[in-house]
Amino acid sequence: MDLTGARWRKSTKSGNNGGDCVEVADNLPGVVAVRDSKDPAGPVLTFDPAAWTRFVETTRRG
């Protein structure tokens, strides 16, 4: 998967916990990418945008 041009941002829920954060890139067409901020060159999980939206909405509801 080509993630060239991905604009990574930290989760607003990550807080100030010494860098243990999740980063999300949701600016690419047809994909949402997620990675560990401590390892930006490491593995990336990718999701269909609709699946990502369902995940975020579900976690917000608890």
Side-chain angles (χ1 to χ4, degrees), residues 3 8-9 21-26 31-37 42-47 52 55:
L3 298 176
W8 296 96
R9 61 182 173 80
C21 301
V22 171
E23 292 181 325
V24 176
D26 56 4
V31 66
V32 175
V34 180
R35 71 181 183 186
D36 182 345
S37 66
V44 174
L45 298 174
T46 57
F47 299 89
W52 180 252
F55 169 76

Side-chain angles (χ1 to χ4, degrees), residues 1-61:
M1 167 136 324
D2 183 15
L3 298 176
T4 302
R7 287 191 306 264
W8 296 96
R9 61 182 173 80
K10 287 186 181 179
S11 168
T12 58
K13 302 296 183 187
S14 291
N16 294 324
N17 54 2
D20 296 336
C21 301
V22 171
E23 292 181 325
V24 176
D26 56 4
N27 66 301
L28 301 172
V31 66
V32 175
V34 180
R35 71 181 183 186
D36 182 345
S37 66
K38 293 183 309 301
D39 189 10
V44 174
L45 298 174
T46 57
F47 299 89
D48 172 83
W52 180 252
T53 298
R54 284 190 305 274
F55 169 76
V56 171
E57 289 172 353
T58 300
T59 57
R60 283 183 181 153
R61 287 192 297 261

